[in-house]
Amino acid sequence: MENGTWRFRGNDKLNIDTTDTIGGTLYWLRKTCADNEDEIRPLIPLSNGDPAIFPCFRTSLIAENAVVDALQSAKLNTYCPFFGMLPARRAVAEYLSKDLPYKISDDDVYMTLGCTQAIEVIVTVLASPGANILLPKPGFPTFEARCAFSDLEYRHFDLLPEKGWEMDLDAIEALADENTVAIVVINPGAPCGVVFSYDHLKKVAEIAKKLGIIVISDEVYEHIVFGDTPFVRMATFSSIVPVFTLGSLSKRWAVPAWRMGWLVTCDPCGALRDSGIRDQIMACLSLYSDPVTFIQAALPQILHDTEEEYFAKCINLMRQGANILYNRMNEIPCIACPTKPEGAIFVMVRLDSSMLEDIDDDVDFCYKLAKEESVILMPGVVVGVKNWLRFCYAIEAPDLEDGIDRIKSFCQRHAKQTHIEEL
């Protein structure tokens, strides 16, 4: 230190606006609700993305008991391998293989602290100088955030609402160049509620092969489907193109705080064998904290023994919520839901702010709605599309109905005179 001047400084990459992130936006929207001292009604979180806060989505007792038994065994209070315990990796391999035409090995599986760390690892590994990656819009902004932090350029391709939120396949080919390394597929698709068909996913695999790039398949909402389109794992097509499958317990078991995820290489043809990527994944994981040992130890029982009745109950609740939301959107002329959701827990609805007084855009809508009605919606701009809103329907039906009633009242109160009769 010279002349009283300190030389330390922070990382400029962290000088970000937290309102550009999902977590930051939810924090400020909740704070807006809390600052309204006159509001006595309960807060309605219509964009929370965490069904676990509602009693109806309590996880399976088999899962809870498996964790308790593992913890109380007193055998899991020590460090474990940084890439995951063998029984956990083997259980994930067997779990995924049930949906695939070939068997995944436990050596293909790397345990992570939730799906978020799986994203961080694969982005870090692929972030070679000059490389770029293709991301869906709307999508999951953690991908963009991790790419920006790792200096990996990202390019957006659109999901098309007029085509049921299918990926714009022509745009994918047009965006790619000799520096493109991967494309991200989110299926079932958050935040749009889409479940991609077998044929659509196969076309993506064929395009990726043509371009010589990897497919990263975020399947955190796996098997949460309730429409006519069945869930198909992207790794079904890994004989065409190598696939990284990302998943976790968080959504299907409604336990996001357990932070148990996985990153899996699906590469039966050996395209990755000599690339060095597997070694780099191991090197990357060696720098991080390990997933909790007693949840890893419980994983075989959780994945293999959870009763089908638990899953069926959750799917029925999701289906009910999706139907309520889709049908009732017709009551609010300034909001339109172009496609009925078929899976995951979110849907995107279009906002026509021109029909409202003193509402500039989706961000303005959500903050004023939070202040006046204690209802939280996510502005579409946070997930990549302006003047859209992200709804979560994985909440208890009475709360969903109450939230929609409040949104309807809000829109009626802010309607322009020329649209009052419509509202």
Side-chain angles (χ1 to χ4, degrees):
M1 184 178 73
E2 297 178 3
N3 301 322
T5 301
W6 296 102
R7 293 176 177 173
F8 62 82
R9 57 178 297 176
N11 187 336
D12 290 340
K13 291 182 180 179
L14 294 175
N15 292 332
I16 61 174
D17 184 351
T18 56
T19 59
D20 291 336
T21 67
I22 289 178
T25 299
L26 288 174
Y27 168 79
W28 289 109
L29 287 170
R30 286 181 176 275
K31 189 175 187 304
T32 298
C33 295
D35 289 344
N36 184 1
E37 297 178 355
D38 296 328
E39 181 61 81
I40 60 174
R41 295 173 297 178
L43 181 151
I44 304 293
L46 289 184
S47 199
N48 197 59
D50 183 4
I53 65 176
F54 298 100
C56 65
F57 287 104
R58 178 178 174 175
T59 196
S60 162
L61 287 176
I62 286 176
E64 290 183 354
N65 290 335
V67 171
V68 170
D69 291 344
L71 177 62
Q72 292 184 336
S73 72
K75 299 177 181 178
L76 300 157
N77 298 327
T78 60
Y79 292 118
C80 73
F82 60 84
F83 50 90
M85 297 164 58
L86 178 58
R89 292 187 287 115
R90 182 170 293 155
V92 172
E94 293 173 356
Y95 173 70
L96 297 182
S97 295
K98 289 188 297 184
D99 299 323
L100 298 174
Y102 63 95
K103 296 296 182 183
I104 291 175
S105 163
D106 51 75
D107 288 335
D108 296 320
V109 179
Y110 308 87
M111 305 309 301
T112 60
L113 280 164
C115 194
T116 299
Q117 191 186 64
I119 293 171
E120 180 176 354
V121 169
I122 194 58
V123 167
T124 301
V125 166
L126 293 176
S128 59
N132 67 73
I133 187 172
L134 308 182
L135 302 179
K137 184 180 72 172
F140 183 46
T142 292
F143 279 102
E144 284 86 348
R146 291 311 315 178
C147 287
F149 197 78
S150 297
D151 292 323
L152 177 60
E153 179 191 351
Y154 55 86
R155 302 175 179 182
H156 286 122
F157 61 90
D158 290 330
L159 304 183
L160 305 172
E162 67 276 12
K163 293 186 176 181
W165 297 107
E166 284 189 346
M167 291 173 272
D168 188 340
L169 302 182
D170 292 335
I172 291 171
E173 289 205 62
L175 282 171
D177 62 19
E178 67 277 7
N179 294 316
T180 304
V181 295
I183 179 173
V184 170
V185 175
I186 303 176
N187 182 49
C192 303
V194 62
V195 180
F196 295 125
S197 70
Y198 179 99
D199 289 341
H200 191 60
L201 292 173
K202 185 178 181 182
K203 289 177 182 177
V204 173
E206 290 169 343
I207 290 172
K209 179 181 180 180
K210 176 182 176 182
L211 297 173
I213 64 177
I214 292 167
V215 178
I216 300 169
S217 186
D218 181 339
E219 298 177 1
V220 73
Y221 291 99
E222 57 171 14
H223 291 295
I224 302 180
V225 296
F226 39 81
D228 295 330
T229 307
F231 169 63
V232 176
R233 292 197 184 279
M234 191 71 217
T236 300
F237 309 103
S238 56
S239 61
I240 299 174
V241 61
V243 175
F244 287 103
T245 297
L246 316 183
S248 78
L249 290 180
S250 298
K251 305 302 182 182
R252 195 180 185 202
W253 276 265
V255 287
W258 289 11
R259 309 311 301 149
M260 181 53 55
W262 46 82
L263 166 62
V264 182
T265 57
C266 306
D267 182 36
C269 296
L272 299 176
R273 188 174 301 126
D274 300 322
S275 67
I277 284 182
R278 285 174 171 269
D279 293 336
Q280 291 173 354
I281 290 172
M282 292 283 279
C284 191
L285 284 170
S286 73
L287 303 175
Y288 295 131
S289 296
D290 313 328
V292 175
T293 54
F294 55 84
I295 299 181
Q296 288 193 67
L299 200 56
Q301 187 174 351
I302 294 171
L303 293 179
H304 296 157
D305 297 343
T306 298
E307 63 277 29
E308 288 300 321
E309 292 79 7
Y310 166 75
F311 295 132
K313 180 200 74 170
C314 291
I315 291 298
N316 286 333
L317 289 169
M318 305 287 192
R319 181 185 294 110
Q320 179 186 19
N323 288 338
I324 290 171
L325 181 60
Y326 182 73
N327 293 331
R328 292 209 57 193
M329 286 301 97
N330 294 325
E331 301 174 11
I332 309 174
C334 63
I335 294 176
C337 185
T339 304
K340 188 174 183 179
E342 290 195 326
I345 62 175
F346 296 113
V347 69
M348 298 296 293
V349 302
R350 184 183 283 112
L351 172 68
D352 185 354
S353 58
S354 70
M355 299 180 68
L356 303 173
E357 293 280 4
D358 303 322
I359 302 293
D360 296 329
D361 53 25
D362 53 320
V363 175
D364 195 30
F365 182 96
C366 289
Y367 276 90
K368 288 177 178 174
L369 177 69
K371 182 176 181 180
E372 297 178 25
E373 298 289 347
S374 286
V375 173
I376 294 181
L377 286 178
M378 180 66 64
V381 70
V382 177
V383 294
V385 284
K386 190 175 178 62
N387 286 326
W388 289 75
L389 306 168
R390 188 188 78 168
F391 273 82
C392 177
Y393 44 80
I395 74 172
E396 293 181 337
D399 292 322
L400 180 57
E401 296 274 14
D402 185 13
I404 295 172
D405 286 339
R406 296 192 206 178
I407 294 170
K408 185 176 180 180
S409 297
F410 174 84
C411 292
Q412 289 173 334
R413 191 164 59 250
H414 286 272
K416 289 182 178 178
Q417 291 298 315
T418 54
H419 296 294
I420 285 181
E421 292 185 2
E422 297 177 57
L423 290 162

